[in-house]
Amino acid sequence: MSNILIARQPVFDSKLNVFGYEISCCGQQPDEGSRPESEITSTALLNTFLTIGLDNLTHDKPAFIPFNRGFINEEIPDLFPSNYLVVDIRQDLNIDLELIGRCQALKDQGYVIALDSRLLNGPSADLLGSASLIRLDAQKIGLPGIRLVAQQYLKPGIRLLAENIYDQETFEFAKKSGCTLFQGPYFGKPAIREGQSPESLNTSHFDLLGAVGNSHMDFGEISKMILQDMTLTYYLLRLVNAPAFGLTNRVTSIRQALAILGEKEIRKWVALIMLSIVCKDKPDELIRSSLLRARLAEQIAYAAGLEGNLENYFLAGLFSKLDVIIGKSFDEISSEIFLPAPVRRYLLGQADDKISPLMELVEAYDLGDWQQVVINAQKTGVSQEILVDAYKCTLKWIYDLQVT
């Protein structure tokens, strides 16, 4: 198995900045479904990381990579830079002096060793001396468990990561208890922006969305509308000059930018600019996740030869978290902005034979829900090779785009 499926989930600090990314992975075979990370060979895992590149995978932030005993004894962690890697030990291990020695050697080389809190008792507790980080599952141990782990193990040189956080109460309790790193579904909800009122687009932005939605664009009119708004001008020139576009000469005029993009690309990039404006006071990860879904949907649709306008797949992914970002329901949003009919139906939860099946696959992949990835990939006829290549290209594209 030369390729495996890989996804990333952000790990936040207490200010909701991305500290790093937890990497989840599985193998997918036509006749056996998914294979968990514990069954993936170190060679397959390493080949995939080398193919994608850690810089593209985590944007130069630490990668929390699951390592079992075999990976550690084969010295796989040593192949990664210590400042970009957290050696994440999740599973019950056969603890012996060899393994303890290997973990201590990794710590001495500057690697961060993360232990599941369930490994703190019994023979595996001997690994604690090598640990710099302890993970605790908020859903499994509850608030009392969080307090207990913090009281027993929080000390200089040890950080606590509370994962599987689903609500604000748990987040606040974990912070007060001494946790400094956090992860979970809660951080994709509007509640994380408490105290920040949703920013609405102004009239000129709605006018621009309407103008680019016309079947026959007036480039002169669109150029004039953009030039009248310095924020729009800045974002468009910044985007078109990003490495992702691969242009050799710098673009300095709006008319030149529009001519390079063309009608279909203008619709996509105007939508992205609007999203960037709305997100300017919100966690960067919200727009990164939206971009990932947008580009991944477009890449998969293109590679799989799916019917429909590729632009619609992009817009469906881009706006799939818009309700979270601005704190409004899609019912409200759909009446405020121009959206192609298939995209509108998908966002409103109405079945769309072209958009919905693929977006279910994209959303499952974004969340690392491998069981649903396998099911939806089979439904849409998308192969493992397409998924791996599309995700790899998407991550590089986001890295090159440099929108946040």
Side-chain angles (χ1 to χ4, degrees):
M1 179 170 49
S2 60
N3 282 320
I4 56 178
L5 302 178
I6 283 183
R8 65 183 197 181
Q9 297 298 318
V11 174
F12 295 93
D13 63 19
S14 58
K15 296 182 179 179
L16 300 183
N17 297 315
V18 174
F19 171 83
Y21 290 94
E22 176 191 345
I23 308 303
S24 63
C25 51
C26 85
Q28 181 185 349
Q29 298 296 334
D31 299 327
E32 60 181 279
S34 61
R35 298 174 63 187
E37 55 204 25
S38 60
E39 297 179 15
I40 295 172
T41 67
S42 57
T43 301
L45 183 69
L46 183 60
N47 285 345
T48 302
F49 284 137
L50 292 176
T51 300
I52 293 177
L54 271 183
D55 52 349
N56 291 325
L57 188 60
T58 67
H59 290 184
D60 297 326
K61 296 185 182 296
F64 289 68
I65 298 179
F67 287 97
N68 58 28
R69 181 187 177 89
F71 289 179
I72 294 173
N73 287 342
E74 292 176 29
E75 300 186 354
I76 298 301
D78 303 64
L79 301 176
F80 298 91
S82 61
N83 57 324
Y84 288 139
L85 179 65
V86 175
V87 180
D88 202 351
I89 300 177
R90 302 285 194 84
Q91 300 147 24
D92 292 334
L93 305 176
N94 181 20
I95 307 301
D96 56 21
L97 292 178
E98 179 186 11
L99 182 64
I100 294 172
R102 280 288 301 130
C103 288
Q104 185 60 52
L106 287 169
K107 182 178 181 179
D108 293 342
Q109 295 172 52
Y111 291 92
V112 174
I113 306 294
L115 289 183
D116 189 308
S117 62
R118 290 169 293 182
L119 295 174
L120 299 177
N121 299 311
S124 57
D126 291 334
L127 287 171
L128 183 60
S130 304
S132 302
L133 191 152
I134 296 174
R135 305 177 61 110
L136 44 95
D137 190 322
Q139 287 297 297
K140 291 183 178 179
I141 66 176
L143 300 187
I146 293 175
R147 181 188 293 112
L148 182 61
V149 171
Q151 290 174 343
Q152 291 184 341
Y153 299 102
L154 185 58
K155 60 182 181 178
I158 295 287
R159 301 186 71 176
L160 301 182
L161 189 165
E163 61 183 359
N164 274 339
I165 295 179
Y166 279 79
D167 53 58
Q168 185 177 0
E169 178 188 5
T170 305
F171 174 47
E172 295 296 340
F173 186 90
K175 279 200 298 184
K176 291 178 182 178
S177 298
C179 297
T180 56
L181 298 175
F182 311 89
Q183 186 186 49
Y186 167 70
F187 300 101
K189 297 179 180 179
I192 68 172
R193 300 185 301 283
E194 184 179 357
Q196 299 179 17
S197 58
E199 179 177 347
S200 298
L201 301 175
N202 61 39
T203 303
S204 65
H205 297 152
F206 285 115
D207 291 342
L208 179 59
L209 283 171
V212 300
N214 290 334
S215 56
H216 300 289
M217 289 188 192
D218 185 332
F219 276 43
E221 177 190 6
I222 293 172
S223 177
K224 182 179 178 180
M225 295 171 72
I226 293 174
L227 286 170
Q228 289 174 344
D229 189 315
M230 288 302 299
T231 302
L232 292 175
T233 301
Y234 166 76
Y235 271 106
L236 182 58
L237 292 178
R238 181 184 175 190
L239 281 170
V240 79
N241 284 296
F245 282 88
L247 302 178
T248 55
N249 297 318
R250 187 168 183 82
V251 178
T252 57
S253 76
I254 293 300
R255 281 187 174 273
Q256 183 185 7
L258 296 178
I260 290 172
L261 291 174
E263 288 194 8
K264 289 187 176 181
E265 292 297 304
I266 287 172
R267 292 190 181 97
K268 287 167 46 177
W269 297 112
V270 165
L272 174 55
I273 289 170
M274 298 307 177
L275 189 66
S276 300
I277 292 172
V278 171
C279 283
K280 68 179 182 180
D281 296 323
K282 299 174 176 64
D284 290 344
E285 191 59 25
L286 281 175
I287 193 169
R288 286 198 196 101
S289 179
S290 299
L291 279 170
L292 186 146
R293 290 185 176 192
R295 186 65 168 183
L296 186 59
E298 183 182 51
Q299 290 279 301
I300 293 174
Y302 174 77
L306 301 179
E307 295 183 0
N309 194 329
L310 293 179
E311 169 195 350
N312 288 344
Y313 291 104
F314 184 94
L315 292 176
L318 188 68
F319 287 142
S320 63
K321 290 191 173 184
L322 191 57
D323 58 336
V324 168
I325 291 169
I326 68 176
K328 291 184 177 182
S329 70
F330 280 123
D331 286 333
E332 295 176 276
I333 296 169
S334 64
S335 64
E336 294 180 351
I337 62 175
F338 168 82
L339 290 171
V343 178
R344 186 184 303 274
R345 287 195 297 270
Y346 159 70
L347 294 177
L348 290 173
Q350 301 168 359
D352 184 282
D353 293 340
K354 294 180 180 179
I355 300 281
S356 298
L358 183 132
M359 286 308 305
E360 289 175 2
L361 171 60
V362 168
E363 290 176 13
Y365 202 122
D366 182 32
L367 297 172
D369 185 344
W370 300 124
Q371 183 176 2
Q372 286 302 312
V373 167
V374 172
I375 292 172
N376 291 319
Q378 292 173 345
K379 285 182 180 178
T380 54
V382 175
S383 68
Q384 174 184 347
E385 289 72 24
I386 287 177
L387 287 175
V388 171
D389 289 344
Y391 195 69
K392 177 179 68 176
C393 292
T394 295
L395 290 174
K396 185 178 188 307
W397 178 82
I398 293 174
Y399 186 75
D400 289 342
L401 199 59
Q402 300 175 355
V403 294
T404 58

